[in-house]
Amino acid sequence: MAERNEWFFPRGSLSERWWESAVDASIDGWKHTGLRVAELAGNTVQLPAGDIERIVVPLAGSFTVSHEGRSTRLTGRSSVFDGPTDVLYVGRGQEIAVTGFGRVAVAEAPTRVDKPSAYVAREDVPVELRGAGQDTRQVHNFGTPAVLDAASLIVCEVITPAGNWSSHPAHKHDEEVPGHESQLEEIYYFEAAAARSVSAPPTADAFGSFATYRSAAGDIETNALVRTGDIALVPFGYHGPAVAPPEYDLYYLNVMAGPGEERVWLVSDDPRQAWLRDTWADQETDQRLPYRQDTPTTQGATP
């Protein structure tokens, strides 16, 4: 039996030097993805060159990234609940240095494939409203195959407004089934905040919940309250739902990569839960969404 919550890491439990959290292959059983999160106050964090590709994602604040002999300014945003941000993809073999004020995340994946670095402007990030009714969530697809030409990384972020469910139905991507499912590790980095319609006191403890459970690929059990800065890793198994209480909004950044040659995100629903997708056709999307953004929205039915 799996040890309950063995793949769940509260804020700060993965700290390393100037990084509040650092996910990499030093974690036993983890191979294909990485994530680093830092809080900057005008200082600089550096990452060395190597066989690794990266996406720099402003969570809150603005940053300058030095790379390949030049600098790229990321305008960022005031919080993760204020719609999409601009991001920077940096291909393998490049040292980077990030300077600025606020919280920044760097998604990583090892690779031997060269891809050109690319800036994705805020207005070019596709904003998708996925699901319907209380399963409606807002997805920013800045690092998905249709938007970004990366080697292995697949990265997006999700806003689940108060009272709604996401990563629902529970699904998995832990075996290679051509045309049906891809084998991908996944990182969930969470933030939570009082809902826009709620006047919460300063002492409010914003949270959501997240679950994983076993599949044929392995035994896993996560059943955790998640708060800002917490991280859940999904090496295999069904994962979801992620649930926002009625008083709090929930955000997560997803980082995925795997051993397959094709960079594709294909999932298999838990067959006991797949039926709920059919209910979305008779429901409207949540009218609270999208949260502050200026780009066209699309409808979707993937996780």
Side-chain angles (χ1 to χ4, degrees):
M1 294 290 292
E3 179 184 345
R4 182 166 170 160
N5 290 345
E6 66 178 323
W7 292 100
F8 174 69
F9 299 90
R11 183 176 186 172
S13 60
L14 293 173
S15 62
E16 176 187 294
R17 298 181 69 188
W18 47 65
W19 301 103
E20 175 184 288
S21 295
V23 177
D24 57 29
S26 65
I27 297 173
D28 188 33
W30 203 251
K31 299 178 181 178
H32 304 293
T33 59
L35 178 68
R36 297 176 184 273
V37 179
E39 184 93 36
L40 301 185
N43 53 311
T44 299
V45 291
Q46 296 178 309
L47 287 167
D51 289 333
I52 189 165
E53 60 180 349
R54 299 179 171 107
I55 301 179
V56 182
V57 184
L59 299 171
S62 300
F63 305 90
T64 298
V65 184
S66 299
H67 62 106
E68 300 161 280
R70 63 183 188 272
S71 294
T72 297
R73 176 68 173 170
L74 295 176
T75 303
R77 56 193 166 183
S78 58
S79 89
V80 295
F81 299 103
D82 289 335
T85 179
D86 51 350
V87 303
L88 176 68
Y89 170 80
V90 181
R92 69 177 284 273
Q94 305 300 329
E95 176 183 351
I96 70 169
V98 183
T99 304
F101 292 84
R103 288 178 66 78
V104 64
V106 182
E108 301 180 332
T111 183
R112 295 294 183 89
V113 177
D114 290 317
K115 292 289 185 177
S117 297
Y119 171 77
V120 181
R122 174 188 175 110
E123 58 269 22
D124 293 332
V125 175
V127 176
E128 175 188 352
L129 299 187
R130 191 175 290 175
Q134 286 187 275
D135 290 336
T136 308
R137 52 274 207 183
Q138 177 174 328
V139 186
H140 304 153
N141 290 308
F142 55 77
T144 54
V147 177
L148 180 69
D149 182 23
S152 299
L153 273 173
I154 299 174
V155 184
C156 66
E157 56 185 10
V158 179
I159 297 172
T160 309
N164 284 15
W165 294 49
S166 59
S167 286
H168 187 54
H171 56 281
K172 72 180 185 74
H173 38 73
D174 57 18
E175 60 180 325
E176 203 70 33
V177 183
H180 179 69
E181 184 177 341
S182 48
Q183 184 180 353
L184 299 168
E185 286 181 346
E186 185 164 17
I187 300 170
Y188 279 73
Y189 163 83
F190 296 97
E191 295 203 9
R196 297 185 175 203
S197 60
V198 173
S199 179
T203 55
D205 179 21
F207 69 94
S209 65
F210 179 71
T212 68
Y213 54 96
R214 76 178 313 276
S215 70
D219 200 9
I220 185 172
E221 183 181 6
T222 303
N223 189 359
L225 296 183
V226 296
R227 296 172 171 85
T228 294
D230 292 350
I231 290 173
L233 303 183
V234 186
F236 45 73
Y238 289 104
H239 42 289
V243 184
E247 298 80 12
Y248 300 124
D249 289 337
L250 182 66
Y251 161 96
Y252 49 86
L253 175 68
N254 283 147
V255 181
M256 291 174 281
E261 293 185 4
E262 186 179 9
R263 178 176 171 249
V264 61
W265 183 24
L266 299 174
V267 309
S268 296
D269 289 337
D270 182 335
R272 299 166 296 181
Q273 303 296 335
W275 66 272
L276 68 85
R277 291 189 190 274
D278 296 334
T279 68
W280 296 345
D282 298 323
Q283 301 181 68
E284 295 184 355
T285 57
D286 191 320
Q287 296 303 298
R288 293 174 296 177
L289 299 179
Y291 279 176
R292 298 181 193 171
Q293 52 80 44
D294 301 313
T295 54
T297 59
T298 60
Q299 297 296 120
T302 49

